[in-house]
Amino acid sequence: MHGLLSYPEFVQQLMEGFAPPEIAQLMNFSTLKNHSGNYITPLFEEKFEDVVWSVEITWEGLTQEVYLYILLEFQSTVDRTMPIRLMHYVACFYDHLLKNGTTTPSKGLPPILPIVLYNGSERWTARQDIYDMVYPEPPAFLQVYQPHLRYYLVDEGRYTDEELGLRPTPLSGVFSIEKASADRKGLQQAVDRIVAIIQASPDKERIDNIITRWLKRYLQRLGAKANLDQLTSLGGKRHIG
């Protein structure tokens, strides 16, 4: 998935198809810029994937840059420390922006939209704001001093096949494949669906190449029986074996 979200069209599909519409409709996707890099200190000894993009939004006549911090959470179980991790990651990214001169304390920090993209089999139950981890809730005179950082969750597994079908994009097709990974028949149907989406795309060849490379890697991780060496185009070979 990290490879797919290195392409602006897939970031646009994520925002338009799965983010709150009141946010996505403000974005000028032609201004998407990739800022992915290693911003995280060794506080958390873990392997994770993240993607950072900036995009211009226009709000009440004012145009400004917003950063999309997308964390790809592909563990099989829910990480209940996610609010703490996201606070650390966002702080490290802000520190990076200050150190490289993108902004200064006097200019202020740009807004960030933290997004967690999760594809585990369990439904996501972790808190989405670090404030909600403070328990018991402090009295009113202390509440203002508690940390607040909320992330937006995209839990792939909560979308039904019907809901994904209403989003005829390559990314929704990828979600369908990941949801069906344990069911060979369902996986074949999901592959057939994404083939149809690709064939209807105005940029068919480019999308075909991107999705085919992703699918080969994904099937290898699943251990699916397929002649992957000959899988060079979804349009030319759609049976997973």
Side-chain angles (χ1 to χ4, degrees):
M1 182 65 73
H2 183 279
L4 295 181
L5 292 177
S6 64
Y7 296 96
E9 54 262 59
F10 285 90
V11 177
Q12 180 174 348
Q13 290 166 29
L14 176 66
M15 299 308 299
E16 289 184 327
F18 301 94
E22 64 270 21
I23 295 177
Q25 66 188 8
L26 300 176
M27 295 181 174
N28 179 359
F29 293 108
S30 68
T31 66
L32 278 168
K33 296 179 185 177
N34 193 323
H35 299 270
S36 299
N38 183 18
Y39 310 116
I40 309 305
T41 67
L43 179 61
F44 289 88
E45 295 181 359
E46 58 190 305
K47 289 185 177 180
F48 68 94
E49 297 182 50
D50 63 348
V51 183
V52 181
W53 288 82
S54 66
V55 64
E56 290 183 359
I57 68 167
T58 300
W59 171 253
E60 295 184 347
L62 176 66
T63 298
Q64 66 179 123
E65 196 171 50
V66 172
Y67 287 88
L68 310 176
Y69 191 106
I70 306 170
L71 180 70
L72 310 178
E73 187 69 8
F74 293 156
Q75 301 182 123
S76 59
T77 57
V78 176
D79 183 353
R80 299 187 185 278
T81 69
M82 181 58 73
I84 303 172
R85 289 173 56 195
L86 254 299
M87 175 165 279
H88 175 67
Y89 299 160
V90 169
C92 287
F93 182 67
Y94 273 143
D95 185 59
H96 165 79
L97 295 181
L98 292 170
K99 286 180 176 177
N100 73 4
T102 299
T103 190
T104 65
S106 60
K107 290 180 180 178
L109 300 173
I112 288 180
L113 174 60
I115 301 170
V116 173
L117 179 57
Y118 170 70
N119 76 343
S121 56
E122 296 181 20
R123 296 287 56 80
W124 189 263
T125 54
R127 305 289 188 179
Q128 289 180 242
D129 192 321
I130 192 169
Y131 178 84
D132 295 330
M133 295 185 71
V134 179
Y135 185 82
E137 186 174 17
F141 63 86
L142 282 179
Q143 290 177 11
V144 68
Y145 301 107
Q146 306 311 305
H148 284 270
L149 181 70
R150 174 172 291 274
Y151 59 87
Y152 182 76
L153 174 69
V154 179
D155 182 352
E156 294 181 25
R158 80 173 182 84
Y159 293 99
T160 65
D161 292 338
E162 290 75 18
E163 289 173 325
L164 291 175
L166 295 175
R167 300 167 170 85
T169 64
L171 186 66
S172 74
V174 167
F175 284 6
S176 295
I177 289 173
E178 291 185 333
K179 273 172 51 68
S181 59
D183 173 15
R184 177 177 171 179
K185 180 179 179 181
L187 182 58
Q188 180 64 63
Q189 291 174 342
V191 170
D192 291 342
R193 176 175 174 259
I194 202 170
V195 167
I197 292 172
I198 291 172
Q199 291 177 338
S201 171
D203 198 7
K204 174 182 174 180
E205 184 175 353
R206 171 182 164 82
I207 299 300
D208 189 4
N209 290 336
I210 293 171
I211 295 294
T212 299
R213 288 196 301 269
W214 170 83
L215 183 60
K216 289 179 68 172
R217 291 192 295 267
Y218 184 72
L219 292 178
Q220 286 172 335
R221 289 197 300 271
L222 287 182
K225 294 180 180 180
N227 190 344
L228 299 178
D229 291 336
Q230 294 182 10
L231 183 55
T232 59
S233 168
L234 283 172
K237 180 180 177 66
R238 65 170 67 179
H239 294 288
I240 61 173

